[in-house]
Amino acid sequence: MDKATPKRTLFRRATGSRELRRQPLFTGLSWLVLLLLYAPIAVLIVFSFNDNRSVVVWTEASLRWYETAIGNENVRKAAWISIQVALTATGVSTVIATMAALATTRGGDFRGKSAAIALINQPLMIPEIVTAIATLSFFSILRKLTGISGIGWLMLAHTVFCIPFAFMPIRARLADMSDTFELAAADLYAAPWQAFRHVTLPLLMPGILSGAMLAFVVSLDDVIITLLIAGPGETTLPLYILGQIRRGVTPEVNAVSTILILLTVAMVALTFALQRKRK
Amino acid sequence: MIDARDVTKRFGEGASAVTALERVSLHVPEGSFFTLLGPSGCGKTTLLRLIAGFELPSEGEIALDGEVIGHLPPNKRPVNTVFQNYALFPHMSVARNIGFGLEMLNRPKAEISATVEEMLDLVQLGAFAARRVDQLSGGQQQRVALARALAPRPKVLLLDEPLSALDLKLRKGMQGELKRLQAETGITFVFVTHDQGEALAMSDQIAVMSAGAIQQVGTPEEIYTTPQSRFVADFIGDTNIVPAELLGYEGDKARIRFAGGQAVLANAASATLAPGAVHVAIRPETITVCDAADEAALLHGTVLDSSYFGAGSQMRIRLRGGTEVQAQVAQPSPTGCEVGLIPDTSMLQVLVD
Ligand SMILES: Nc1ncnc2c1ncn2[C@@H]1O[C@H](COP(=O)(O)OP(=O)(O)OP(=O)(O)O)[C@@H](O)[C@H]1O
Ligand SMILES: [Mg+2]
């Protein structure tokens, strides 16, 4: 008997995954979580293909709501604004985040380094509505002082809140990366910028791609800050959807939402593909 | 070639400051295989990093060919490094790794590819040019790292324990290969190790370091046969360190007496010690064992045991003062026997503590 005990633990370990699956709650719970997460999205996508005004009664599959949505000039304009803002915010915030990550991991020990890291990450902890209101009043002052208006302000706001999202994965990757590669490059006559261009940057690329992806998705999805900052004619896709559902959910809104999901998924897929190619 | 003058390196400031090197002066002759030998934490890597330019000296200066380079960044120094973990660029092929230095120096493409070919042949990796570096074995990565550091033909090659990651057999092979590369290229090698066997086998000159200071510089033979300090004698290996009384100096010799023996002349590095208690190094193979009553015996003790090692036997003897010594003899005396010891006085070395 006492001989059998260790054997049984060994056996348990080896077949751990099967044992887990056999637990009565495990399978049920997993399905429940998956259902709660994805059923609403599935329903939304399915009814975007419904040939009917209703979003609860299914009649027949059709692309008519996509035709309506794409034919709708407001949707096209909103999509274009979203993409412009997201691309600008992604580009600028990724560059800034990369520089910040380099400074905090490769800049040696400077006074206030941990404070700098905390300050960069802090916006993640502040409620977005607070940031939104603060940005709104700050930008109103600036707008009045400078007399400048336009979509630039929205891009600036997005850039700012994207920085911490881009910063996290880039800094994590740099902190993991030994600086011996950079020393080796310098030892082999690379000037600092050459070492960065030929060694640090390529090795850091997976982190930069993850950071850029996060920034893009966060910017594309943002509602609260955008709602307060966006001027007339600066309606992004989420704002357009929000405006539409005030008048009830229509299949057209479903179609636009599906397009937004598609954009996000495409971005994530692209990042994965790029990272796999590098490997 | 390389001259370090009174180089001090401190890390940190104030109370938490660590002095890694304390007024180190060193001359590395051109074209030599020069080894820095010492226990962990004695400052070998720090000295190498100062020569490479990864650190700047806190005090003192470092000159290469008479030109002070101590404050130039690494990319401005004609010095290349083989890193302990190789630090090969993982996103580049073997060939691009080897050509990287020349690429950064803006050499023409044709010259780069010719040199890369030559280097691949030199380290016998001709078939691997297009491989990615993570598809190589440890020994092969080692050789790529060597080729990469040699390709720009530096004036000095720095090697920080390059063999420590290899298994014993591969390490022996690489020792020979490194010697061959050094001889073939004529480049000055500064080699770091904490393995005294490796240092003795490979070097033209060895600098033995301890606690941030250089203890002794010399050829392997000098270091082995005439260690000047107790630390060096201890670190280099199997020598006996025996207490004695220093009576005074006569010319460049020291007059000493072991407990219960008569006064003899021994070698001394310098006449700096005050008369009194000192330690003397006696190599095991220079001891003759005789009868306890023999007039010529300088030391007396009891045989603890002996073991046969092929060319003779190794005896362990406890001296009357309690110190244990080893002697290599053809015919061992039986265990428990009282014996006298006659060391070859021309090989006795008075040690500085
Ligand atoms: N960047 C640093 N900051 C603080 N102390 C350091 C630093 N680098 C080295 N030291 C200290 O300096 C001393 C010498 O270190 P060094 O790395 O030169 O030793 P080493 O002889 O190469 O040892 P090992 O054989 O273990 O590699 C050690 O006490 C070490 O802790
Ligand atoms: Mg070291």
Side-chain angles (χ1 to χ4, degrees):
Chain A
M1 187 61 213
D2 29 348
K3 258 192 180 173
T5 324
K7 243 188 199 165
R8 249 187 48 190
T9 20
L10 246 180
F11 179 71
R12 275 235 173 120
R13 260 214 199 136
T15 57
S17 60
R18 262 173 69 196
E19 293 271 318
L20 192 59
R21 230 179 286 165
R22 240 186 265 147
Q23 298 287 330
L25 266 179
F26 177 75
T27 316
L29 207 60
S30 311
W31 282 112
L32 185 67
V33 169
L34 281 177
L35 192 77
L36 287 176
L37 276 174
Y38 289 107
I41 295 175
V43 168
L44 177 138
I45 293 175
V46 166
F47 276 95
S48 72
F49 292 105
N50 190 9
D51 187 32
N52 192 304
R53 272 226 143 265
S54 160
V55 289
V56 282
V57 185
W58 178 264
T59 46
E60 198 185 337
S62 103
L63 287 175
R64 89 178 238 220
W65 298 113
Y66 285 88
E67 277 161 31
T68 320
I70 290 164
N72 183 338
E73 202 198 333
N74 289 333
V75 173
R76 288 209 307 268
K77 248 184 84 184
W80 177 228
I81 287 184
S82 269
I83 288 173
Q84 271 177 297
V85 170
L87 284 181
T88 313
T90 301
V92 179
S93 67
T94 305
V95 170
I96 292 174
T98 304
M99 295 195 293
L102 282 169
T104 51
T105 54
R106 295 294 194 266
D109 272 325
F110 56 86
R111 188 182 279 266
K113 184 161 117 180
S114 11
I117 297 169
L119 278 177
I120 295 169
N121 282 324
Q122 193 54 44
L124 296 176
M125 262 68 92
I126 296 176
E128 197 183 346
I129 185 72
V130 176
T131 313
I133 293 168
T135 313
L136 172 67
S137 26
F138 187 57
F139 276 15
S140 309
I141 299 172
L142 287 182
R143 270 180 178 142
K144 198 163 271 165
L145 279 179
T146 58
I148 298 171
S149 61
I151 200 168
W153 294 104
L154 187 59
M155 290 172 169
L156 183 59
H158 275 233
T159 302
V160 170
F161 72 70
C162 282
I163 289 173
F165 288 95
F167 178 72
M168 281 187 305
I170 299 175
R171 187 183 140 78
R173 170 95 190 170
L174 257 179
D176 270 0
M177 217 167 91
S178 148
D179 70 348
T180 346
F181 294 121
E182 284 130 309
L183 288 184
D187 189 61
L188 292 162
Y189 313 105
W193 69 269
Q194 285 177 308
F196 176 75
R197 156 90 186 67
H198 293 291
V199 175
T200 317
L201 190 61
L203 291 176
L204 187 54
M205 225 14 148
I208 294 181
L209 282 174
S210 308
M213 181 199 78
L214 265 179
F216 186 85
V217 169
V218 164
S219 161
L220 200 65
D221 286 354
D222 183 73
V223 172
I224 301 177
I225 292 178
T226 315
L227 190 63
L228 298 200
I229 302 298
E234 294 168 11
T235 307
T236 61
L237 265 188
L239 287 197
Y240 176 81
I241 295 171
L242 200 65
Q244 291 300 300
I245 60 169
R246 292 226 174 93
R247 288 174 237 152
V249 181
T250 66
E252 189 191 346
V253 168
N254 284 1
V256 176
S257 305
T258 307
I259 293 173
L260 195 56
I261 293 173
L262 219 68
L263 266 175
T264 312
V265 171
M267 198 61 205
V268 177
L270 184 73
T271 318
F272 273 116
L274 280 175
Q275 281 181 354
R276 176 149 321 161
K277 210 186 105 201
R278 300 193 63 84
K279 271 201 177 164
Chain B
M1 163 112 298
I2 302 175
D3 284 286
R5 295 182 208 110
D6 288 330
V7 171
T8 296
K9 178 66 189 176
R10 277 182 294 271
F11 292 104
E13 283 161 35
S16 63
V18 178
T19 305
L21 292 174
E22 180 86 57
R23 296 177 67 84
V24 166
S25 294
L26 190 68
H27 172 74
V28 179
E30 177 150 15
S32 64
F33 196 116
F34 193 95
T35 298
L36 300 174
L37 173 67
S40 185
C42 70
K44 307 179 296 288
T45 297
T46 304
L47 185 51
L48 220 57
R49 288 170 64 90
L50 285 170
I51 299 173
F54 302 142
E55 305 279 0
L56 298 180
S58 311
E59 279 159 40
E61 57 183 30
I62 296 170
L64 181 66
D65 279 346
E67 194 185 328
V68 174
I69 58 161
H71 295 272
L72 291 178
N75 56 315
K76 299 267 170 63
R77 302 186 185 199
V79 171
N80 288 153
T81 307
V82 176
F83 292 83
Q84 182 166 3
N85 54 3
Y86 316 140
L88 297 175
F89 304 127
H91 58 296
M92 296 178 192
S93 68
V94 167
R96 176 120 194 267
N97 261 284
I98 297 177
F100 190 82
L102 295 168
E103 192 186 325
M104 292 302 107
L105 289 168
N106 281 320
R107 295 288 168 73
K109 282 232 160 59
E111 184 195 328
I112 296 178
S113 54
T115 310
V116 169
E117 289 270 312
E118 191 190 320
M119 286 298 140
L120 282 168
D121 284 346
L122 192 68
V123 296
Q124 291 146 15
L125 280 177
F128 294 87
R131 284 270 188 108
R132 290 173 37 148
V133 293
D134 53 9
Q135 297 167 332
L136 300 177
S137 73
Q140 289 164 341
Q141 291 187 11
Q142 165 82 73
R143 280 184 281 167
V144 175
L146 265 169
R148 182 177 73 172
L150 284 170
R153 298 219 130 251
K155 287 187 176 162
V156 179
L157 187 73
L158 307 175
L159 306 104
D160 192 355
E161 310 207 20
L163 308 182
S164 63
L166 305 180
D167 62 49
L168 190 66
K169 191 160 168 248
L170 209 53
R171 187 188 304 187
K172 291 277 176 242
M174 279 308 291
Q175 286 181 2
E177 191 138 334
L178 275 181
K179 275 301 281 182
R180 175 181 69 85
L181 283 174
Q182 198 268 325
E184 262 174 45
T185 57
I187 291 172
T188 309
F189 277 31
V190 180
F191 180 84
V192 162
T193 182
H194 58 249
D195 178 335
Q196 65 275 22
E198 197 165 278
L200 292 172
M202 299 175 74
S203 321
D204 295 324
Q205 292 228 321
I206 299 174
V208 183
M209 295 179 68
S210 143
I214 290 185
Q215 294 282 326
Q216 185 174 352
V217 182
T219 63
E221 203 195 336
E222 283 165 356
I223 299 278
Y224 186 75
T225 57
T226 57
Q228 288 169 8
S229 65
R230 212 173 150 188
F231 175 84
V232 175
D234 227 1
F235 193 74
I236 289 300
D238 46 9
T239 199
N240 299 303
I241 298 172
V242 178
E245 189 191 354
L246 175 66
L247 303 170
Y249 289 98
E250 286 176 25
D252 56 354
K253 295 271 185 180
R255 180 162 288 278
I256 58 158
R257 185 169 61 207
F258 294 108
Q262 76 229 45
V264 289
L265 287 178
N267 301 312
S270 54
T272 53
L273 294 176
V278 289
H279 286 92
V280 175
I282 313 174
R283 297 222 58 84
E285 66 274 18
T286 66
I287 295 177
T288 313
V289 176
C290 62
D291 197 76
D294 195 318
E295 292 271 293
L298 296 180
L299 295 149
H300 298 85
T302 316
V303 179
L304 293 175
D305 56 30
S306 51
S307 51
Y308 181 67
F309 67 89
S313 288
Q314 178 105 354
M315 286 169 68
R316 286 202 306 139
I317 299 146
R318 188 189 300 285
L319 298 180
R320 280 188 191 152
T323 314
E324 217 176 87
V325 297
Q326 315 234 13
Q328 282 166 17
V329 293
Q331 272 300 323
S333 316
T335 299
C337 182
E338 292 283 320
V339 292
L341 303 179
I342 311 171
D344 176 355
T345 53
S346 73
M347 300 294 282
L348 288 179
Q349 183 74 25
V350 177
L351 302 172
V352 178
D353 268 312

